[in-house]
Amino acid sequence: MTGDVVNLRQFRKRRERTEKERQAEQNRISFGRTKAEKSLTKALNDKAETRLDQGRIEPPTKDEGGDSKD
């Protein structure tokens, strides 16, 4: 009824390798975008911002007239 003899150094190294591989997979998902994907995202964001600004209504200033009571 004796357990298997395990080399703790090898066990720790295997555990650390597994943890590093898991972290690397997460980083690939988070940061692994190609240059084309980044530029496409930037272009779409710029286009959306431009369309938003085109529909903006600016309040009239004092120089333009308007309903200012002076």
Side-chain angles (χ1 to χ4, degrees):
M1 286 221 211
T2 61
D4 294 334
V5 177
V6 178
N7 187 330
L8 291 178
R9 178 178 47 86
Q10 291 175 345
F11 178 76
R12 287 183 190 124
K13 284 185 178 183
R14 188 179 321 122
R15 184 183 61 200
E16 288 173 6
R17 266 189 238 118
T18 306
E19 180 64 26
K20 284 183 181 182
E21 182 58 35
R22 189 187 64 76
Q23 183 64 39
E25 183 65 30
Q26 287 293 327
N27 288 343
R28 281 186 217 111
I29 292 169
S30 299
F31 303 109
R33 296 183 348 170
T34 63
K35 188 173 184 178
E37 290 172 333
K38 290 176 187 176
S39 63
L40 176 63
T41 302
K42 184 178 183 320
L44 291 173
N45 288 341
D46 291 344
K47 183 176 180 180
E49 186 176 337
T50 302
R51 292 202 73 195
L52 180 66
D53 287 343
Q54 287 174 349
R56 188 177 306 268
I57 299 174
E58 302 273 339
T61 61
K62 289 183 179 182
D63 296 338
E64 294 177 359
D67 295 88
S68 63
K69 297 178 182 177
D70 287 332

